[in-house]
Amino acid sequence: MPEETTGRVASITLRAAQPEDEAFLLKVYASVRADELAQVPWTEAQREAFIGMQFAAQREHYHKHNPGATYDLILLDESPAGRLYVARREREFRILDITILPEYRNRGTGTLLVKDLMAEAARAGKPLNIYVESYNPSYRLFERLGFKMIEDTDGVNHLLEWRAES
C-alpha cells in the first residue's frame, strides 16, 4: 500500500462511478489534458467547452464499445482520487483507463491497482493489456511491471500487454 506524507498507509478502494460523480470524472479527464491545452491560445471558456465535449465523446465511446466494463472511482481514504475502467473480455482483460489526479500520483496507488489486475488476469488465464501513448509518463510504470508493446497503432498509441508466466 502507498504511504502518505504522514507515513500512514492510505486505504485504497474502488467504488462504481455514479451519475453524481460526473463533475469529479470531468476533473480527472481535464487533468490529463491540462499540459496539452496550456499550449493552445484559447480562452478558459473555450478550453472548458472543448474538455466537456471530449469527455462526453470518450465516455460514449467507452460505454458503447465496452458495455460490460467496470467504471470505478479510485478512493484514497474514502476521498475520490482517480478513475479505473476495466473490460474483462472473453480473451483478455483490458484496462480502458487508469488516471489518478496529479496531487495523488507517485504514491504507489496505480502500481498496486495494476498489480491487482495482473493477479486477477493471471487467475483467469488471460493477458492484461492497455493502450498507452508513447510519451505518457505511465508508460515506464507498465514497462517496469513487465508489459510489452505488441502493437504500434499510429506511432504514438501503443498496445501494451502483460501475460503471466506459464
Side-chain angles (χ1 to χ4, degrees), residues 4-28:
E4 299 205 53
T5 54
T6 62
R8 187 178 62 76
V9 175
S11 167
I12 302 169
T13 55
L14 299 175
R15 173 178 63 73
Q18 304 296 316
E20 58 269 18
D21 296 319
E22 186 164 339
F24 172 76
L25 292 169
L26 178 62
K27 176 182 173 182
V28 172

Side-chain angles (χ1 to χ4, degrees), residues 55-74:
F55 171 73
Q58 182 189 63
R59 183 183 57 219
E60 181 180 328
H61 175 82
Y62 283 159
H63 286 273
K64 178 180 178 184
H65 295 283
N66 302 282
T70 56
Y71 298 92
D72 293 320
L73 264 59
I74 300 166

